Amino acid sequence: MIKITEKPIDIQKVIDTASCLASGAVNVFVGTVRNNANGKNVVWLEYEAYETMAVGEIRKIIDDASHKWPLQGWAVSHRIGTLRPGEVAVVVAVSTPHRKDSFDACEYIIDNLKLHVPIWKKEVFEDGEEWISARPSAVAEKV
């Protein structure tokens, strides 16, 4: 499942979609909206996406991950639109036979999603707003 949505993400549905009875591990990453950034209070975030391309890029990342780790199931869901602090922005879930592979694969998927997928974030503060780079340098160096 790859889902780009304006509706709240059903975390359990993402987990259930990724789960496999043959797996010994299901790893889940849940990304939420922080209430602060760079010393400023975040009022809300706005996410925009080039949806068709985003889905294709996520599929490529999943395909690549499946060649690196024995994925038995996976699911990715990302919100777009306006989100307030505390809301869930992204959920990635993977299942593998063993825990180390599930941790590594899940981290790889979220890091590459942030690096390659055309989803953009604008932080809105009490005193202004700022578009955030779609390719943070810390992620680029790590992947």
Side-chain angles (χ1 to χ4, degrees):
M1 171 181 82
I2 298 172
K3 189 171 186 181
I4 310 292
T5 181
E6 292 185 13
K7 296 179 182 176
I9 296 171
D10 182 341
I11 297 170
Q12 190 59 53
K13 182 176 181 181
V14 176
I15 293 168
D16 291 346
T17 301
S19 295
C20 173
L21 292 176
S23 296
V26 177
N27 192 288
V28 183
F29 172 81
V30 178
T32 59
V33 177
R34 290 188 302 271
N35 68 356
N36 66 84
N38 300 318
K40 296 180 181 182
N41 291 331
V42 172
V43 180
W44 71 79
L45 298 182
E46 292 178 18
Y47 283 97
E48 293 183 5
Y50 179 0
E51 290 185 50
T52 304
M53 186 179 215
V55 169
E57 290 299 313
I58 292 170
R59 189 167 312 283
K60 288 179 191 175
I61 293 165
I62 296 295
D63 288 345
D64 193 32
S66 69
H67 287 94
K68 296 176 183 287
W69 296 279
L71 299 185
Q72 294 176 310
W74 56 268
V76 175
S77 187
H78 202 300
R79 287 278 306 272
I80 55 174
T82 301
L83 284 78
R84 305 243 177 237
E87 289 190 75
V88 174
V90 60
V91 179
V92 175
V94 298
S95 62
T96 62
H98 304 286
R99 70 179 173 270
K100 177 134 177 51
D101 287 338
S102 72
F103 279 110
D104 293 345
C106 195
E107 181 179 35
Y108 177 86
I109 292 166
I110 189 62
D111 285 352
N112 278 280
L113 188 151
K114 291 178 75 69
L115 184 62
H116 299 291
V117 177
I119 297 174
W120 304 279
K121 173 174 73 172
K122 179 169 66 172
E123 293 176 333
V124 178
F125 307 104
E126 295 168 335
D127 63 349
E129 58 189 39
E130 179 181 354
W131 282 100
I132 304 303
S133 172
R135 291 164 179 79
S137 59
V139 171
E141 292 169 10
K142 185 175 183 182
V143 176

